[in-house]
Amino acid sequence: MDDWRRRTGPIAVLTGAGISTDSGIPDFRGPQGVWTRNPIAELSANYQDYLIDPQLRERSWLARRDNPAWQAEPNAGHRALVDLERSGRSVRILTQNIDRLHHRAGSSERRVLELHGNMFEVVCVSCGARVTMRETLERVAAGEPDPACLRCGGVLKSATIMFGQALDEEVIGQAAVYAQVCEIFLAVGTSLRVHPAAGLCEVAVDSGADLVIINNEPTPYDDLASEVIREPISQALPRIVAELSATA
């Protein structure tokens, strides 16, 4: 057993789109990723463009309606992290995903930090009012292709972070604290190209943690890692969790 598996302190887990691919949700930058196959889709995820382009917003509401996350179920990778929490280990999940599959798998809400928000809520960019995605999509289905805020008339968007939009400072601050205090930092299914989330790897290593990367493709942080695992996540994560749980 490698040395990092013997550590008994807190564990931080950064999860990206790769952990959800076995649930039928495509990733973004993998060989079959949404943005790999359609680079225009990545460009359309820009916050400023979304604010000024009604046609882009109309296409975005249809894409939200058709998102495979509505039908997706948690997979073995999500369930393994639930098992790790239930083993008694101190665990915090820092997820870049917006699908809430960690919650549905059974991870405690207080142990999951959503770095990029979630797709099941809608927020007004002007007044901050929040409503559910379902009720907003009902307005779209009823004939409002670009529904406006019912409180102030402002632009509505999903409660997710788009390119060009700042992350919540409190959320990323909490994530940095978890990265600083953990002994093991697992980066699971993330390309580690999106900052500031990717930079949490360096924060963890600088604070003395072992970085372990589970990803099919190379990442910019592979050289910092104590171990890089190319095995499929739904196979690798349950095995690793079983080993870590044994030291709880």
Side-chain angles (χ1 to χ4, degrees), residues 10-195:
I11 301 169
V13 188
L14 175 66
T15 64
I19 197 173
S20 293
T21 55
D22 280 353
S23 294
I25 303 175
D27 62 12
F28 297 101
R29 293 184 172 86
Q32 299 300 316
V34 174
W35 294 339
T36 303
R37 300 177 68 178
N38 181 14
I40 299 301
E42 181 173 4
L43 296 177
S44 70
N46 183 278
Y47 181 58
Q48 294 302 323
D49 290 341
Y50 182 87
L51 293 181
I52 64 175
D53 188 344
Q55 291 185 331
L56 174 57
R57 294 198 297 273
E58 291 177 15
R59 293 196 301 271
S60 296
W61 288 115
L62 296 179
R64 291 162 186 150
R65 179 197 64 188
D66 299 333
N67 194 306
W70 288 107
Q71 288 78 40
E73 295 292 336
N75 61 55
H78 299 104
R79 293 192 294 270
L81 294 178
V82 178
D83 293 339
L84 184 60
E85 177 186 338
R86 291 176 179 171
S87 76
R89 294 296 299 257
S90 174
V91 183
R92 288 294 185 275
I93 299 172
L94 319 174
T95 187
Q96 296 172 280
N97 296 339
I98 62 173
D99 53 36
R100 291 212 156 164
L101 287 179
H102 288 299
H103 299 76
R104 293 183 59 193
S107 290
S108 301
E109 186 169 351
R110 65 186 181 86
R111 293 180 183 268
V112 180
L113 197 61
E114 294 176 318
L115 302 181
H116 294 164
N118 74 85
M119 61 167 279
F120 299 102
E121 295 178 297
V122 169
V123 63
C124 173
V125 302
S126 297
C127 72
R130 285 184 178 252
V131 294
T132 68
M133 179 63 73
R134 286 195 181 278
E135 60 187 293
T136 308
L137 290 178
E138 287 174 0
R139 293 174 60 190
V140 174
E144 295 182 69
D146 179 24
C149 176
L150 294 175
R151 179 189 292 178
C152 75
V155 170
L156 294 178
K157 66 179 291 292
S158 62
T160 59
I161 304 298
M162 302 178 75
F163 287 119
Q165 185 179 12
L167 268 68
D168 185 304
E169 291 185 6
E170 182 177 351
V171 170
I172 197 64
Q174 290 179 22
V177 170
Y178 295 143
Q180 288 169 347
V181 302
C182 72
E183 287 190 356
I184 301 171
F185 190 95
L186 300 177
V188 182
T190 170
S191 66
L192 297 178
R193 297 179 192 173
V194 177
H195 289 266

Side-chain angles (χ1 to χ4, degrees), residues 2-8 183-184 186 210 212 226-227 229 240 243-244:
D2 294 336
D3 287 345
W4 65 267
R5 289 179 170 87
R6 297 192 181 100
R7 303 190 74 169
T8 58
E183 287 190 356
I184 301 171
L186 300 177
D210 279 300
V212 179
S226 299
E227 186 171 352
I229 299 170
I240 290 169
E243 294 168 347
L244 292 174

Side-chain angles (χ1 to χ4, degrees), residues 220-234:
Y221 290 89
D222 286 359
D223 290 344
L224 281 182
S226 299
E227 186 171 352
V228 176
I229 299 170
R230 300 284 185 232
E231 189 180 345
I233 293 168
S234 290

